Amino acid sequence: MNDLDLLTAITVFVLSVLVGIEVISKVPATLHTPLMSGSNAVHGIVVVGAMLIAAEAHTWAGYTLAFVAMVFGAMNVVGGYVVTDRMLRMFKAKPRTDDRTEV
């Protein structure tokens, strides 16, 4: 990787962070949980990317970055499903309990 490739990669990273912050800050609080729970599953792509990094890595730094990316991506995927399940349970009908006793 030459200096121009590194500079391009850093530029893309910084721009994506800035765009991400701008987009996330515009989401109202009432929509944050539903949007995030659904979009966290997209982080499966991060896991696939980490696997590609691990396949191409030849140094301890590459393996460490791939491992950290896989752990964070997997946590985000699982967390998205947990939040979605919790939200869906909020809307499930609760069993009725009759306080009346039949005579």
Side-chain angles (χ1 to χ4, degrees), residues 50-51 53-55 57 61-71:
M51 289 178 191
I53 291 172
Y63 291 124
T64 303
L65 285 174
F67 176 75
V68 169
M70 279 189 242
V71 168

Side-chain angles (χ1 to χ4, degrees), residues 47-66:
V47 176
V48 173
M51 289 178 191
L52 292 174
I53 291 172
E56 296 292 323
H58 299 294
T59 64
W60 66 270
Y63 291 124
T64 303
L65 285 174

Side-chain angles (χ1 to χ4, degrees), residues 38-92:
S39 67
N40 279 344
V42 175
H43 283 88
I45 296 170
V46 172
V47 176
V48 173
M51 289 178 191
L52 292 174
I53 291 172
E56 296 292 323
H58 299 294
T59 64
W60 66 270
Y63 291 124
T64 303
L65 285 174
F67 176 75
V68 169
M70 279 189 242
V71 168
F72 285 142
M75 285 187 334
N76 215 353
V77 169
V78 171
Y81 285 118
V82 169
V83 168
T84 302
D85 183 56
R86 188 173 179 185
M87 283 184 348
L88 291 176
R89 278 190 279 134
M90 286 180 5
F91 295 105
K92 192 181 267 187

Side-chain angles (χ1 to χ4, degrees), residues 1-16:
M1 181 180 260
N2 61 24
D3 290 336
L4 186 58
D5 290 340
L6 181 62
L7 183 61
T8 303
I10 291 172
T11 303
V12 169
F13 177 74
V14 169
L15 288 174
S16 64

